[in-house]
Amino acid sequence: MPRYRRGFDVELAHAHLLRDQRLGAWMRRLGPLSAPPGWRKTFDPVDALARAILFQQLSGKAAATIVGRVEAAIGSPRLHADTLARIDDAALRACGVSGNKALALRDLARRELAGEIPGLRQMAVMDHEAIIQALVPVRGIGRWTVEMMLMFRLGRPDVLPVDDLGIRKGAQRVDNLETMPTPKELLARGERWGPYRTYAGLYLWRIADADAQVEGPTSRSQQ
């Protein structure tokens, strides 16, 4: 059974992606990108998913305020079934958690107790698609949320979130397209970037941001 380590060699990824003439031109302009710091930090998947739920559709500052209130209410910095059980739905609402998000947190907790949420050791022997399929049944957790965990926490090398608006905008700029590529078109385009589509995605976000300096910030899915 293969074992997947967290992170990959970004220098190898950089050299590989430079072979794509259009993407390579942007890479030379922007310079090498460092590995995301999350690859070196331990994390708890359940806690990370709970925080992802709370951060959805909110600005970072507003979401951080709500998370801080929840942590204070449960008396713990760890969001898990056992700690979330210390607070009822009315208290969650008082912290600023919406009804839908409260339901999502309860579903996550229920699935944790049922042993349905893989831990880091289990994820280390699961390919990235298996991890996605294990986690998307959780209420409030979509494919994009799991892809962000795979890219920024687990450091899987070949993940391309084709539904992300920033990724699509970056690909539009790379190929000088009149409109953003559809997810299906981007999936096909991204075949050239394997097995380092994660690193390509990091560049596509940067390219979209470079474009945004002129046209305004790029709206990104679930950011």
Side-chain angles (χ1 to χ4, degrees), residues 5-223:
R5 68 185 185 92
R6 290 178 63 185
F8 55 88
D9 189 327
V10 295
E11 291 184 3
L12 282 178
H14 191 272
H16 175 78
L17 294 176
L18 282 174
R19 300 172 188 170
D20 184 304
Q21 184 175 2
R22 291 179 176 176
L23 179 60
W26 275 97
M27 292 171 64
R28 292 183 179 91
R29 172 180 167 183
L30 295 172
L33 299 183
S34 301
W39 293 358
R40 298 185 295 273
K41 298 178 182 178
T42 188
F43 77 102
D44 186 300
V46 173
D47 181 80
L49 291 170
R51 293 171 188 276
I53 289 168
L54 292 172
F55 267 77
Q56 286 171 1
Q57 299 176 332
L58 293 174
S59 69
K61 182 177 181 180
T65 298
I66 291 172
V67 169
R69 291 171 184 165
V70 172
E71 290 176 340
I74 65 177
S76 173
R78 178 175 170 271
L79 305 181
H80 262 260
D82 57 345
T83 57
L84 289 170
R86 301 172 187 172
I87 186 173
D88 61 20
D89 289 352
L92 277 175
R93 294 298 297 272
C95 292
V97 179
S98 70
N100 283 336
K101 289 184 180 182
L103 289 171
L105 290 174
R106 298 304 183 199
D107 185 55
L108 173 63
R110 179 184 67 77
R111 292 177 184 275
E112 179 200 349
L113 292 174
E116 298 177 15
I117 309 298
L120 283 182
R121 287 189 178 183
Q122 188 176 352
M123 287 183 180
V125 295
M126 298 169 69
D127 65 41
H128 74 255
E129 189 62 36
I131 294 172
I132 290 170
Q133 295 308 313
L135 298 181
V136 294
V138 179
R139 182 181 179 120
I141 298 297
R143 185 181 183 91
W144 183 91
T145 298
V146 186
E147 288 171 336
M148 294 304 102
M149 178 186 290
L150 289 164
M151 294 176 74
F152 291 100
R153 298 289 196 124
L154 293 174
R156 294 298 174 92
D158 206 27
V159 179
L160 185 66
V162 296
D163 295 309
D164 186 278
L165 294 180
I167 293 285
R168 292 170 60 201
K169 182 66 175 178
Q172 178 187 1
R173 289 285 290 162
V174 165
D175 290 335
N176 294 316
L177 303 174
E178 291 187 5
T179 60
M180 287 190 294
T182 66
K184 185 177 180 179
E185 290 169 341
L186 183 53
L187 185 66
R189 175 69 168 93
E191 289 292 331
R192 306 183 200 179
W193 302 327
Y196 294 112
R197 282 176 278 195
T198 294
Y199 199 63
L202 298 181
Y203 269 103
L204 293 176
W205 274 315
R206 288 287 299 273
I207 292 164
D209 286 342
D211 190 34
Q213 293 177 8
V214 176
E215 299 182 4
T218 301
S219 176
R220 293 178 181 168
S221 310
Q222 301 183 54
Q223 188 174 43

